[in-house]
């Protein structure tokens, strides 16, 4: 079994690249059926979603836009904790179909924050696509319109996802080996 060491942790192969690509291709097929005729803008959330977005967009048939957003590290606090400001919205998304592209939805706190901020730009609708989802950790009731794979509540790296800044370049996804 293939093992990778990143910093102090060991990771073992979990989802091979061929499976990831098949899952993304199937997701794109669903989107192509659903989004035909709509004014669509895909919004990839950096850094983690860059590989997912690049792979997905190759399979999207209707004319569309794609852009990338980032959550700035700090913008203040609320009763629910740190509120990160969404930066990079340069396009007019008014009345458009926004499809958020996330690498992984864990508790859903990040996603809720992103949606709250995007609503301020008055898009026509917001849909959510995530490559990975940890249902056991999910605390929100936001509908995830497109989910690539549901995974257990373990830390994963690869295909855009990092551990302490490393591992994003790995073509496969690895899960942490319990120590
Ligand atoms: P949430 O707000 O849903 O709890 O977490 C979302 C963010 O946490 C993701 O966008 C990602 O940056 C990070 N995250 C959650 N689980 C994992 C994981 O297993 N591996 C990595 N690399 N990041 C994760």
């Amino acid at each position: 079994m293939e093992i990778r060491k990143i910093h102090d942790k060991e990771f073992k192969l979990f989802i091979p690249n061929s499976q990831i690509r098949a899952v993304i291709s199937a997701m794109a097929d669903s989107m192509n059926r659903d989004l035909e005729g709509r004014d669509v803008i895909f919004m990839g959330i950096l850094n983690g979603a860059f590989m997912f977005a690049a792979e997905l967009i190759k399979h999207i048939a209707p004319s569309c836009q794609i852009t990338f957003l980032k959550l700035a590290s700090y913008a203040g606090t609320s009763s629910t904790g740190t509120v990160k400001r969404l930066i990079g919205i340069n396009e007019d998304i008014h009345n458009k179909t926004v499809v958020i592209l996330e690498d992984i939805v864990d508790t859903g706190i990040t996603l809720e924050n992103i949606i709250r901020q995007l609503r301020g730009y008055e898009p026509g609708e917001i849909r959510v696509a995530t490559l990975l989802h940890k249902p056991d950790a999910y605390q929100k009731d936001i509908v995830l319109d497109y989910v690539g794979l549901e995974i257990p509540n373990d830390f994963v790296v690869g295909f855009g996802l990092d551990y302490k800044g490393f591992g994003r370049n790995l073509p496969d996804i690895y899960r942490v080996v319990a120590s």
Side-chain angles (χ1 to χ4, degrees):
M1 184 170 303
E2 202 183 332
I3 299 279
R4 295 263 175 172
K5 182 129 202 247
I6 304 175
H7 289 291
D8 53 335
K9 291 198 188 303
E10 288 191 336
F11 295 85
K12 70 178 174 202
L13 186 59
F14 180 35
I15 311 167
N17 184 264
S18 55
Q19 188 182 350
I20 299 168
R21 283 188 287 115
V23 157
I24 294 174
S25 172
M27 187 188 288
D29 289 345
S30 304
M31 288 177 174
N32 286 337
R33 284 192 295 273
D34 296 351
L35 302 175
E36 182 65 50
R38 293 172 197 249
D39 192 359
V40 180
I41 181 162
F42 290 92
M43 295 192 141
I45 309 300
L46 296 173
N47 292 325
F50 76 95
M51 239 189 237
F52 168 44
E55 181 62 31
L56 179 85
I57 204 74
K58 290 187 273 184
H59 301 282
I60 296 297
S63 171
C64 63
Q65 292 174 281
I66 181 162
T67 191
F68 291 88
L69 307 180
K70 190 160 186 152
L71 285 163
S73 53
Y74 179 71
T77 56
S78 74
S79 55
T80 53
T82 304
V83 177
K84 293 183 171 180
R85 192 167 59 91
L86 200 56
I87 55 173
I89 307 174
N90 302 318
E91 291 78 7
D92 178 13
I93 63 170
H94 185 69
N95 284 341
K96 291 189 179 177
T97 292
V98 168
V99 182
I100 297 170
L101 303 180
E102 265 284 23
D103 51 355
I104 185 163
V105 175
D106 186 352
T107 63
I109 292 169
T110 306
L111 180 64
E112 183 180 64
N113 182 14
I114 291 167
I115 290 175
R116 192 187 314 117
Q117 295 189 58
L118 281 178
R119 284 213 179 103
Y121 295 83
E122 300 182 332
E125 63 169 334
I126 299 176
R127 296 186 181 212
V128 180
T130 185
L131 176 60
L132 302 176
H133 176 41
K134 294 179 180 173
D136 294 343
Y138 198 49
Q139 300 172 7
K140 305 294 174 186
D141 48 20
I142 301 162
V143 173
L144 306 177
D145 301 277
Y146 306 96
V147 175
L149 287 163
E150 293 190 344
I151 63 168
N153 203 359
D154 294 328
F155 191 81
V156 294
V157 294
F159 205 79
L161 289 140
D162 75 308
Y163 173 55
K164 294 187 176 175
F166 288 83
R168 294 193 197 277
N169 54 314
L170 299 170
D172 309 301
I173 292 174
Y174 293 74
R175 73 199 273 183
V176 73
V177 178
S179 51

